[in-house]
């Protein structure tokens, strides 16, 4: 908006220098790019991220299987037994030795972290495994993938707008330096006669 006001203010003004008008046009161009090009870039990146993440969601749901495991016996709780996928990142989990049957029929027994407060032998809980029955992380869900895609698109749009603003500042800085250099040259020419009666006559 400042760029538009600047262009309007300089319209027909005899004090308007070419550099003032150029700065206003640079600012207006940057504003237009921020409001039009940056959102388009963000939408394109977000769309590409959404496609890739949803494809990953489908692949993970096809390759990972939810099976029921049984607690064989509780194990000592590790001080670092924290659920990395918990909402707060601080959900304490119990460490147990568990047994389960994989999708291929193979039997498995291994230490796992479970969300049971007081696990006992025989307690049952769900875990995710690959096709061979090895424990894997829970697959990404569609809503989380969409959230990540939206954040990626928004972040890209903000980064593009910030890049345009940085380029605008660099261009204006160079224009101001060039203007000051011209002023110094003019002062050097007028310097010896400055303030003298009849100078320049």
């Amino acid at each position: 908006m400042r760029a538009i006001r600047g262009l309007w203010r300089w319209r027909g003004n005899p004090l308007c220098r070419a550099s003032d008008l150029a700065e206003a046009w640079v600012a207006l161009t940057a504003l237009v790019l921020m409001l039009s090009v940056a959102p388009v870039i963000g939408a394109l990146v977000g769309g590409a991220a959404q496609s890739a993440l949803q494809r990953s969601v489908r692949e993970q749901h096809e390759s990972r299987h939810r099976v029921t495991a049984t607690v064989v016996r509780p194990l000592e709780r590790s001080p670092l037994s924290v659920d990395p996928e918990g909402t707060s990142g601080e959900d304490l989990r119990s460490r147990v030795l568990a047994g389960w049957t994989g999708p291929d029929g193979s039997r498995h027994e291994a230490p796992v972290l479970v969300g049971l407060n007081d696990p006992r032998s025989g307690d049952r809980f769900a875990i995710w495994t690959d096709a061979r029955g090895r424990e894997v992380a829970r697959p990404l869900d569609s809503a989380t993938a969409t959230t990540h895609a939206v954040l990626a698109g928004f972040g890209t749009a903000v980064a593009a707008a910030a890049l345009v603003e940085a380029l605008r500042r660099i261009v204006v800085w160079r224009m101001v330096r060039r203007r000051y250099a011209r002023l110094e040259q003019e002062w050097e020419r007028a310097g010896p006669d400055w303030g003298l009666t009849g100078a320049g006559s």
Side-chain angles (χ1 to χ4, degrees):
M1 297 310 293
R2 200 165 44 187
I4 295 171
R5 282 200 305 269
L7 283 171
W8 185 261
R9 186 178 68 235
W10 289 123
R11 184 179 58 91
N13 190 327
L15 298 176
C16 176
R17 297 170 294 193
S19 61
D20 295 324
L21 203 54
E23 283 180 31
W25 276 112
V26 167
L28 181 61
T29 303
L31 180 66
V32 169
L33 289 174
M34 283 187 216
L35 294 178
S36 59
V37 176
V40 170
I41 292 172
L44 291 174
V45 170
Q50 172 75 343
S51 298
L53 287 170
Q54 291 301 335
R55 186 168 53 252
S56 179
V57 166
R58 286 192 298 274
E59 290 171 358
Q60 287 185 15
H61 278 276
E62 288 171 5
S63 63
R64 300 180 187 187
H65 308 274
R66 189 180 171 97
V67 300
T68 301
T70 305
V71 175
V72 176
R73 71 174 186 276
L75 299 173
E76 273 187 36
R77 176 175 283 186
S78 165
L80 299 176
S81 296
V82 175
D83 182 6
E85 297 178 2
T87 54
S88 66
E90 297 178 355
D91 297 332
L92 288 177
R93 309 194 82 192
S94 302
R95 193 161 166 268
V96 300
L97 181 65
W100 65 90
T101 302
D104 60 351
S106 58
R107 286 286 303 153
H108 299 269
E109 196 171 279
V112 296
L113 293 174
V114 296
L116 302 172
N117 289 332
D118 186 22
R120 301 190 178 171
S121 298
D123 287 348
R124 297 165 73 81
F125 60 95
I127 63 169
W128 289 91
T129 70
D130 61 12
R132 296 183 179 179
R134 293 174 298 200
E135 186 186 12
V136 293
R138 179 175 47 214
L140 185 67
D141 62 272
S142 183
T144 303
T146 299
T147 302
H148 289 324
V150 169
L151 290 174
F154 180 75
T156 302
V158 170
L163 179 62
V164 170
E165 174 61 12
L167 289 174
R168 182 196 71 81
R169 287 175 182 263
I170 290 170
V171 169
V172 170
W173 175 75
R174 289 177 65 90
M175 291 169 72
V176 169
R177 283 188 52 111
R178 201 173 303 130
R179 183 193 308 152
Y180 285 158
R182 282 198 302 268
L183 281 172
E184 284 178 9
Q185 290 171 359
E186 293 295 329
W187 275 106
E188 284 176 7
R189 280 195 220 110
D193 297 330
W194 182 256
L196 297 178
T197 305
S201 57

